[in-house]
Amino acid sequence: MNPVVVTMILLLVLALGELISILTKARVPMLLASLMIYLVLLWTGIVPAGLMSDSLLKTFGSLAIAPLIVHLGTLIPFSQIKGQVKPIVIAVTSSLFAVGLVLLIVTAIFDYTTAVSGAGPVVGGIVAFLLTSEKLTQIGLGALAVLPALILAIHKLAGIPFASYFLKKHALSIKASIKDGSYKGAASESANPHAEETRKSLLPAKFQTPIVLLAQLFIAGSIAIGLDALTGINYSIFCLIIGIVGTYFGVLQPQMLNKANSTGIFMASLMLVVIASMDQVTPDVFFSYLPQVFTICLIGTVGVIIGGFIMSKLLKYEKNLGIPVALTALFGFPADYILCEEVAREVGENEEERAAIMNGMVTPMLMGGFATVTTGSIVIASILVETL
């Protein structure tokens, strides 16, 4: 099929998901709707298996991950990071609590190997999946590798609706506090959260063209990938650090993709990478492993929610934000950012409210996602697979 036609079909899937989100006032998140639409089209044969491989936009999405994570770093004011210790602790401890429940309950119902096969991926992403599937193949259990693959593709469907529900409740509380004048952070955060970094910019405004900004992002992403090769530490961590530190010292600019007028194409292409994880989920494979997948995803989701609630109470953190922060372990980036955007758009009545709501949610959500999917789940999976 012609790549232009393929890309058109996939963008229509995303557009339909966006329309559903708008019509339901974010009760049905865009990414969740898009994933389900694509799965239905795939299973009914309306779109052929492997359609994603013909999409050049999906290929671009794979290339765009590193620069996009650098861009995320440029969205986070350096002064706010030191205030994110509680969200990070909530996210990590909630993941550990969920993994403990999975190992305990799933081992009792099925067996220990099944529990380990799902424990890492259920609170992580592609790297946790790769570590788990590689180990299963090494010990002669390659057929079981379909289990973490299914969990990787499906666990986000459980986490997204719950996170959206709690985020919306938190956004409504921010909106109410803005209206009664008690929300102290709204004015300072919405006005210019990057004011300090902007004053320190080393690149004159006349040189901040879209091409120059994109080149900076890809250079930063390439440096992060090089550091990954040297240290073995996942490149996404370096991308985030480079984005934050580079913006603080003026080497990079705040909100770089926004200034380069490229946020839309980058986000769309990356969402196609996420949706591509559904390509391997055929009805036969899905239903044969449904009991294990359902059990692990259910226990993992419940464990994360309980852990997020308990830790929010212990740390005296707003539970309607703490629970979604914990739930980022189930979907990570870009869903964490997209959910914040959707909820802010739907709840805010004007640009000031939307900016305040977005600023009140996005930093802890992003930090939670990086603490779990990018780092915590990799450590968890690395340790667990060595016990097989």
Side-chain angles (χ1 to χ4, degrees):
M1 190 180 296
N2 188 287
V4 175
V5 177
V6 171
T7 301
M8 179 269 293
I9 294 172
L10 296 175
L11 287 176
L12 279 177
V13 170
L14 296 180
L16 286 173
E18 182 86 343
L19 289 174
I20 291 172
S21 174
I22 293 171
L23 291 173
T24 61
K25 298 187 182 298
R27 290 185 179 88
V28 180
M30 183 273 285
L31 189 58
L32 175 61
S34 299
L35 286 169
M36 296 307 297
I37 291 170
Y38 183 72
L39 197 58
V40 169
L41 294 176
L42 197 64
W43 284 7
T44 56
I46 295 176
V47 299
L51 181 73
M52 284 285 185
S53 61
D54 293 327
S55 172
L56 298 179
L57 192 57
K58 183 253 181 178
T59 303
F60 174 72
S62 300
L63 298 174
I65 293 175
L68 191 52
I69 296 175
V70 175
H71 162 71
L72 287 177
T74 72
L75 291 176
I76 304 173
F78 191 82
S79 58
Q80 290 187 16
I81 296 176
K82 57 187 177 184
Q84 301 307 312
V85 175
K86 287 184 179 181
I88 290 172
V89 172
I90 289 171
V92 173
T93 53
S94 298
S95 290
L96 292 173
F97 184 79
V99 168
L101 282 183
V102 169
L103 292 176
L104 181 66
I105 299 174
V106 175
T107 299
I109 298 174
F110 299 102
D111 54 66
Y112 181 71
T113 303
T114 299
V116 172
S117 299
V122 80
V123 292
I126 185 68
V127 179
F129 158 72
L130 291 173
L131 289 170
T132 304
S133 60
E134 182 181 16
K135 183 63 176 183
L136 290 172
T137 302
Q138 287 177 359
I139 63 176
L141 296 174
L144 191 58
V146 69
L147 178 62
L150 283 171
I151 291 172
L152 177 68
I154 293 168
H155 71 153
K156 62 178 73 70
L157 303 183
I160 290 173
F162 285 110
S164 179
Y165 170 77
F166 287 108
L167 278 178
K168 194 164 187 179
K169 291 187 70 174
H170 181 64
L172 288 170
S173 68
I174 293 177
K175 180 179 176 180
S177 64
I178 291 173
K179 290 189 179 300
D180 64 24
S182 62
Y183 185 64
K184 303 300 182 183
S188 60
E189 289 174 3
S190 62
N192 186 3
H194 293 279
E196 181 181 5
E197 290 88 338
T198 301
R199 289 196 301 269
K200 295 182 178 180
S201 176
L202 300 179
L203 184 67
K206 65 180 179 180
F207 296 130
Q208 295 178 22
T209 66
I211 292 177
V212 171
L213 294 175
L214 289 174
Q216 282 187 300
L217 285 173
F218 274 89
I219 290 170
S222 299
I223 292 172
I225 291 171
L227 291 172
D228 182 335
L230 287 174
T231 64
I233 299 173
N234 191 272
Y235 71 90
S236 58
I237 300 174
F238 290 116
C239 286
L240 186 64
I241 293 172
I242 291 171
I244 295 170
V245 176
T247 305
Y248 179 75
F249 287 105
V251 178
L252 301 176
Q253 311 308 310
Q255 309 178 60
M256 290 190 72
L257 280 181
N258 297 17
K259 291 185 176 180
N261 301 315
S262 304
T263 306
I265 191 66
F266 270 70
M267 294 303 297
S269 62
L270 194 62
M271 281 187 280
L272 293 184
V273 175
V274 177
I275 292 175
S277 65
M278 290 295 190
D279 272 347
Q280 307 303 317
V281 185
T282 64
D284 290 342
V285 172
F286 178 81
F287 288 111
S288 65
Y289 279 94
L290 187 58
Q292 296 94 325
V293 172
F294 177 78
T295 302
I296 292 172
C297 287
L298 176 63
I299 295 171
T301 303
V302 171
V304 167
I305 291 174
I306 294 174
F309 177 81
I310 293 173
M311 291 306 300
S312 295
K313 287 291 186 181
L314 290 175
L315 297 176
K316 297 181 179 179
Y317 195 77
E318 169 56 47
K319 70 177 186 302
N320 287 326
L321 181 57
I323 293 174
V325 165
L327 283 166
T328 57
L330 302 181
F331 47 82
F333 174 80
D336 47 11
Y337 182 80
I338 294 167
L339 283 173
C340 293
E341 240 183 3
E342 287 183 343
V343 171
R345 181 186 64 211
E346 294 299 333
V347 174
E349 295 180 5
N350 51 55
E351 286 305 315
E352 181 183 358
E353 287 186 359
R354 294 186 188 105
I357 291 170
M358 183 70 175
N359 287 324
M361 300 187 301
V362 70
T363 302
M365 286 291 286
L366 290 176
M367 297 305 290
F370 280 107
T372 53
V373 176
T374 304
T375 55
S377 68
I378 297 172
V379 175
I380 290 170
S382 300
I383 294 172
L384 288 179
V385 295
E386 293 306 317
T387 66
L388 291 176

